[in-house]
Amino acid sequence: MKLNFVRKNNDLARLDGKRFRMDNIMTFLSFLILTTVVILPVVMIIYNTFWDGSKLDLEMFARVILREENLAAMKNTVIIGVIATLLATVIGVFFAWLLGRSDIPLKGLMRWLFSIPFMIPPFLAAMAWDMMFSGRGGYVNRLLMNVFSLADAPFNINTVGGIIVIEAVYYFPFVYMQVVSALQRMDPTLEESARISGAKQWYVIRKITLPLTIPAISSGTLLVLITSLSNYGIPAMLGYSKNIFTLPTMIVERVNRAGGDFQGIREATALSVVLVIVVAIALFVQRKLLKTGRYDIIKGKSMRPALIKLRAIKYPLLVVSIVFLIFVVLTPLVVIFLVSILRAYGLPFSIENFSLINYQKIFVNNKAVIDSIKNSLFLGFSAGIICLFLGVMLSYVIYKIRPKGGGILETLAVLPYSLPGTVMAIGCILAWSGIVFGITLYNTIWIILVAYIARYLSYTLKSCSASLQQVHYSLEEASRSCGASHMESLVDITIPLIKPAMVSSFFLVFLPAMRELTTSVLLYGPNSRTLGVQIQQLRINGYMTQAAALSVVAIIIIMVSDTVVKAITKDRKGI
């Protein structure tokens, strides 16, 4: 089939009467673009880590990773990543079972609550928790101290344990989404057969239900682990004030301490290599775990899995679940809003202390804030549009043209997805600071755009590829046989058929770009601050109420955009 398709493509290309076929041009552009935006930054990181400009230099790498503060950062990274992942997995699997297999009521409300963490930037959630539980200054701590006459604050979120808890409660929906889907697809006859044979409910869950969901649990766990290991926002918001560093925050600290000194940048590249190794080990372990046992969900015409009756514990579980979700999901948003309308940070939440003055301060005669909103919107739209067109072209080349090396193209496109944002940022600094080709993008908005394209290209590639593979080649073949050029066939036949996927893929890039901090915190210049960077800078400089007000604006922009994409794609089924 593949040989037939390639031969037909060649025959149709001759109908165009062109020496250089469109297929060859698109294939060449795909390799060129991916080499420039993906390979070059990665190569520059490795080169500058082990080469000092004249000779191989392993001493610097060993010196950096053995430094006490860097060893502490590595230790914190692993501890936070592993424990937060385990907690998030337990919580996610529990809620997936509760909503997917039990008869608990109000499932629609809980599903809506699960969707909120996907829209809220992690660093904003961390900032809200910091406002509630940061020692004696935290609002919830102050309330508890007054109510129970406590001498000291009962909780301190600015610890390694605090970071673990916040990452766990923020990332558990990733596990939930993976597992609940697997539970709903499961063949109910497997569990029913076990019960008929006399097995008790816990035995059925342990021996049948959980093993069948291991691939889904593993997938969600890996996503949480990689996200936790590479996360910058939560450890930065909660750990900086207490000198608690992870590898991503230490990389940023190294770059800031360097003050433009190249040796400091090299030390940051060494830490970047270590972070990549840690993430690679996580990927390796996950694949090994999956190979230890293989479980399949038998597909057939069975009925939908039967719901388990909770009986006496139904309503106690419902109350506990709703209270938990409201506390970890909605309460931080309420706190951010209340702080945003305070006249000064630290004042009690009372009517006489509320005012809209902070919104006036951030919007009236505040060029930095206005520019940050403009920059984020520009970067979101630009990255979305560019990634959209590149994703369509790459998916067409990989799955329709199928050139030699097509697998390499796909690997290159998805590589940045598995790399931490700080690592890609360091690579972009090295690649686009005039060292290569004499092109200098550093301290401009363009270097952030290049980094966003590299990071989010895989989103559009995956989205468009799924739809493009459903477009049969005979449609384009018929168009070309009737005299249409290659470009006309693409524009008039192929692209209209995958338009719903293209719209969705644009927003898959736009929404993360609007809330991004990890990459832009290393790449922004005086005139290229993004929303995330501006919020962080306001907080660092002590303008907590203004930071909260700008956070509310960012959340509204993201939620409105999410509502728009749902409205656009609601009734569009694609092919």
Side-chain angles (χ1 to χ4, degrees), residues 60 104 133 171 218 273 321 334 459 488:
M60 187 277 293
I104 195 166
F133 295 105
Y171 292 135
S218 177
V273 170
S321 301
V334 173
Y459 293 15
E488 288 171 338

Side-chain angles (χ1 to χ4, degrees), residues 262-575:
F262 186 69
Q263 186 60 29
I265 301 293
R266 284 195 68 210
E267 292 184 2
T269 64
L271 291 176
S272 299
V273 170
V274 174
L275 183 55
V276 171
I277 292 172
V278 172
V279 173
I281 291 173
L283 286 167
F284 176 78
V285 170
Q286 187 255 1
R287 288 174 182 172
K288 282 293 183 183
L289 288 175
L290 278 181
K291 287 181 179 179
T292 58
R294 184 173 181 86
Y295 305 93
D296 294 313
I297 295 175
I298 301 174
K299 298 177 181 178
K301 296 183 179 180
S302 297
M303 67 186 74
R304 186 182 180 88
L307 296 180
I308 298 170
K309 295 184 182 300
L310 297 175
R311 294 186 172 84
I313 63 172
K314 177 193 292 187
Y315 291 103
L317 271 180
L318 174 64
V319 172
V320 170
S321 301
I322 295 295
V323 170
F324 172 79
L325 289 174
I326 288 176
F327 181 68
V328 303
V329 175
L330 292 185
T331 304
L333 298 181
V334 173
V335 170
I336 286 181
F337 173 73
L338 291 177
V339 171
S340 75
I341 57 176
L342 281 177
R343 294 182 182 276
Y345 185 68
L347 292 176
F349 293 145
S350 57
I351 298 297
E352 60 270 18
N353 293 327
F354 290 154
S355 169
L356 297 178
I357 187 66
N358 295 309
Y359 291 92
Q360 181 182 343
K361 288 178 180 179
I362 64 173
F363 283 119
V364 179
N365 299 323
N366 195 330
K367 186 176 184 299
V369 170
I370 300 300
D371 284 349
S372 70
I373 296 174
K374 289 180 180 178
N375 288 338
S376 286
L377 288 171
F378 169 77
L379 289 167
F381 276 109
S382 300
I385 292 171
I386 294 172
C387 286
L388 168 61
F389 284 105
L390 290 181
V392 170
M393 182 177 71
L394 282 170
S395 57
Y396 188 84
V397 169
I398 294 169
Y399 295 103
K400 292 299 182 182
I401 298 177
R402 300 177 184 176
K404 291 181 179 178
I408 297 175
L409 274 178
E410 187 171 15
T411 302
L412 291 180
V414 301
L415 175 63
Y417 178 74
S418 60
L419 294 178
T422 47
V423 174
M424 282 305 299
I426 292 292
C428 287
I429 291 173
L430 295 170
W432 305 109
S433 297
I435 299 175
V436 181
F437 308 129
I439 300 175
T440 302
L441 300 178
Y442 188 54
N443 270 349
T444 69
I445 198 170
W446 304 111
I447 193 171
I448 303 177
L449 179 59
V450 171
Y452 282 7
I453 292 170
R455 285 201 71 188
Y456 301 128
L457 180 57
S458 61
Y459 293 15
T460 57
L461 174 63
K462 291 298 183 183
S463 177
C464 294
S465 295
S467 289
L468 195 60
Q469 289 180 78
Q470 294 176 322
V471 179
H472 199 269
Y473 66 84
S474 62
L475 298 174
E476 188 176 335
E477 177 186 339
S479 172
R480 300 279 294 280
S481 298
C482 292
S485 66
H486 200 153
M487 182 59 70
E488 288 171 338
S489 298
L490 284 174
V491 172
D492 295 335
I493 304 295
T494 307
I495 290 179
L497 290 172
I498 64 170
K499 193 175 291 183
M502 292 172 65
V503 174
S504 298
S505 65
F506 168 81
F507 283 98
L508 282 175
V509 175
F510 176 78
L511 290 175
M514 283 297 298
R515 64 185 189 182
E516 207 280 331
L517 175 66
T518 305
T519 302
S520 52
V521 74
L522 279 171
L523 300 177
Y524 78 92
N527 300 314
S528 59
R529 288 183 178 181
T530 62
L531 260 175
V533 171
Q534 184 62 29
I535 291 170
Q536 185 191 42
Q537 290 300 309
L538 286 171
R539 179 180 179 274
I540 290 173
N541 294 328
Y543 299 104
M544 294 294 293
T545 52
Q546 293 182 39
L550 190 56
S551 299
V552 172
V553 173
I555 291 170
I556 290 173
I557 292 174
I558 294 169
M559 285 188 165
V560 169
S561 301
D562 183 72
T563 303
V564 169
V565 69
K566 286 180 179 177
I568 291 175
T569 59
K570 181 179 180 181
D571 299 318
R572 304 182 74 172
K573 305 297 183 183
I575 303 169

Side-chain angles (χ1 to χ4, degrees), residues 77-88:
T77 302
V78 174
I79 290 174
I80 292 170
V82 171
I83 299 179
T85 299
L86 291 175
L87 285 176

Side-chain angles (χ1 to χ4, degrees), residues 68-135:
E68 185 177 351
E69 59 182 356
N70 293 338
L71 288 173
M74 295 177 208
K75 179 182 176 182
N76 290 337
T77 302
V78 174
I79 290 174
I80 292 170
V82 171
I83 299 179
T85 299
L86 291 175
L87 285 176
T89 301
V90 171
I91 299 171
V93 170
F94 168 74
F95 277 108
W97 179 84
L98 198 64
L99 270 69
R101 300 305 304 276
S102 78
D103 63 343
I104 195 166
L106 298 180
K107 291 183 179 180
L109 173 62
M110 285 192 273
R111 290 191 183 100
W112 176 74
L113 290 173
F114 284 135
S115 69
I116 294 178
F118 292 103
M119 295 183 281
I120 308 304
F123 68 92
L124 292 188
M127 187 172 74
W129 285 92
D130 184 60
M131 292 173 178
M132 292 190 289
F133 295 105
S134 59

